[in-house]
Amino acid sequence: MWGAPAEPADSYYEVRPECTDVPKTRFKIKPGKTLSARKWQAAFTPEGQLDIGKTLSRIHRGGIHPSIRGEVWEFLLGCYEPKSTFDEREEIRQRRRLQYSAWKEECHQIFPVVGSGKFITAPVVTEDGQPIQDPLVLQETNSGISASSSKMVKELLSHGPLDKKVIQWMLTLHQIGLDVIRTDRTLVFYEKQENLSKLWDILAVYAWVDRDVGYCQGMSDLCSPMIILLENEADAFWCFERLMRRLRGNFRCTESSVGVETQLSNLASITQVIDPKLHQHLERNKKLCFIVHRDTGRR
């Protein structure tokens, strides 16, 4: 309603009561400016085509109401074309869900923890593809599945040596698990094991599908909002996949650097031209800046 006071959006993302130092969001729901569910529905023609111009204009003025943020993001990230119809989108949605299900089943056949409602936080194979036998390492696995994980790997090895791409993928699974338990840990949403497992499953499947990038630290933070906003796991995966199309260069590794390090190097070259004194200062403190950058990335 016009003239009504702005409403804080914090109530839509419940924080655990013991987390008292979480900063309040600066975003407020502004009646008449924020894209509401009613305005969102009115932006479609009877066939389902979206007036993207007016929608973007309203988003620019007042943001998106949390209750519809997931479905709006599907358009903003390019999952669906604005000119597509309701029927066309439903067909695409079902086809993508089947594709995700097939990829997930493929991963499950290799390592049955995928899709089991559980996840791992310790390595289950060595770099040469042998099952981990160290009891101290096995104790670190999630939900008491260490014995079964080791058994799964042995079963896989009974068919012959593991392919390099399978080994590389399996080596990332515990890294994903370690990041999953640290992602948005102040939110009540992630108190549920099923939501943690859903995040792990999506990242595990993505790492299998996009082998050039695999998994890198930071990707769990990008995927987390998709899990929270979209109830269907496959829909969340495809939103994340679309986002990664734009950002995958930041995570692609070469023999000498990670994508984001290349960007920092380019920024340093620009700074050297624009502000030589600042560049000189940063060069003198290069080691300290690198440590701060790495430490921030671990949080």
Side-chain angles (χ1 to χ4, degrees):
M1 181 183 297
W2 287 96
E7 174 192 353
D10 296 278
S11 59
Y12 289 89
Y13 310 107
E14 190 179 356
V15 174
R16 292 160 56 185
E18 67 271 22
C19 300
T20 56
D21 59 344
V22 178
K24 299 290 184 181
T25 178
R26 296 175 65 182
F27 172 70
K28 293 184 182 295
I29 301 165
K30 303 171 184 176
K33 291 186 178 181
T34 299
L35 179 64
S36 64
R38 183 176 64 83
K39 288 290 185 181
W40 171 243
Q41 295 302 324
F44 291 92
T45 67
E47 294 76 27
Q49 295 173 324
L50 175 66
D51 186 337
I52 191 66
K54 286 186 179 179
T55 300
L56 290 175
S57 177
R58 184 167 287 275
I59 292 172
H60 179 70
R61 291 200 308 270
I64 307 168
H65 194 281
S67 64
I68 57 169
R69 195 166 284 170
E71 55 189 293
V72 176
W73 277 16
E74 288 184 301
F75 283 89
L76 298 183
L77 291 172
C79 293
Y80 303 114
E81 290 292 331
K83 294 303 179 184
S84 62
T85 65
F86 290 127
D87 290 341
E88 288 169 343
R89 288 196 293 276
E90 184 59 26
E91 182 183 342
I92 293 170
R93 182 179 292 108
Q94 294 306 322
R95 186 168 68 246
R96 286 176 176 164
R97 287 179 179 180
L98 287 173
Q99 178 63 78
Y100 176 72
S101 180
W103 281 334
K104 188 174 179 180
E105 178 59 26
E106 188 178 349
C107 293
H108 178 78
Q109 291 299 320
I110 299 171
F111 191 60
V113 176
V114 177
S116 69
K118 299 177 180 179
F119 60 94
I120 62 171
T121 55
V124 291
V125 294
T126 61
E127 291 189 0
D128 59 357
Q130 296 301 311
I132 296 286
Q133 300 294 339
D134 187 340
L136 293 177
V137 173
L138 290 175
Q139 284 177 11
E140 294 296 319
T141 51
N142 172 266
S143 302
I145 59 172
S146 56
S148 58
S149 295
S150 182
K151 185 178 179 181
M152 291 172 196
V153 177
K154 288 179 180 178
E155 175 66 23
L156 197 58
L157 284 168
S158 68
H159 303 294
L162 296 180
D163 186 90
K164 283 185 178 180
K165 64 182 181 183
V166 173
I167 295 173
Q168 188 58 44
W169 176 68
M170 294 187 71
L171 286 170
T172 68
L173 296 180
H174 76 282
Q175 296 171 356
I176 296 173
L178 288 171
D179 283 349
V180 161
I181 59 176
R182 294 189 295 231
T183 301
D184 290 332
R185 57 189 177 274
T186 60
L187 297 180
V188 170
F189 181 84
Y190 282 117
E191 288 184 334
K192 293 183 179 180
Q193 169 79 18
E194 63 188 271
N195 293 331
L196 292 169
S197 299
K198 187 187 292 186
L199 179 58
W200 185 79
D201 282 343
I202 288 178
L203 292 168
V205 172
Y206 183 85
W208 175 250
V209 174
D210 188 352
R211 290 167 194 167
D212 286 342
V213 172
Y215 176 79
C216 291
Q217 191 174 52
M219 288 168 62
S220 62
D221 295 305
L222 297 177
C223 188
S224 177
M226 316 305 174
I227 304 288
I228 296 170
L229 296 173
L230 293 160
E231 186 175 349
N232 184 278
E233 183 178 320
D235 295 345
F237 170 86
W238 286 108
C239 258
F240 174 66
E241 188 271 341
R242 284 285 167 166
L243 179 60
M244 284 300 298
R245 289 189 187 192
R246 305 182 185 192
L247 301 177
R248 66 196 303 273
N250 292 348
F251 298 98
R252 187 185 283 114
C253 299
T254 66
E255 291 182 1
S256 58
S257 68
V258 181
V260 71
E261 292 176 358
T262 302
Q263 291 187 7
L264 290 173
S265 177
N266 294 338
L267 181 61
S269 299
I270 295 170
T271 306
Q272 187 174 16
V273 175
I274 296 176
D275 194 335
K277 287 185 177 180
L278 175 61
H279 180 269
Q280 210 171 36
H281 171 74
L282 293 174
E283 281 294 309
R284 283 198 300 267
N285 295 278
K286 197 170 186 178
K287 186 174 181 181
L288 175 61
C289 291
F290 178 74
I291 292 171
V292 171
H293 166 66
R294 290 294 298 273
D295 184 58
T296 303
R298 292 192 181 99
R299 291 177 186 173

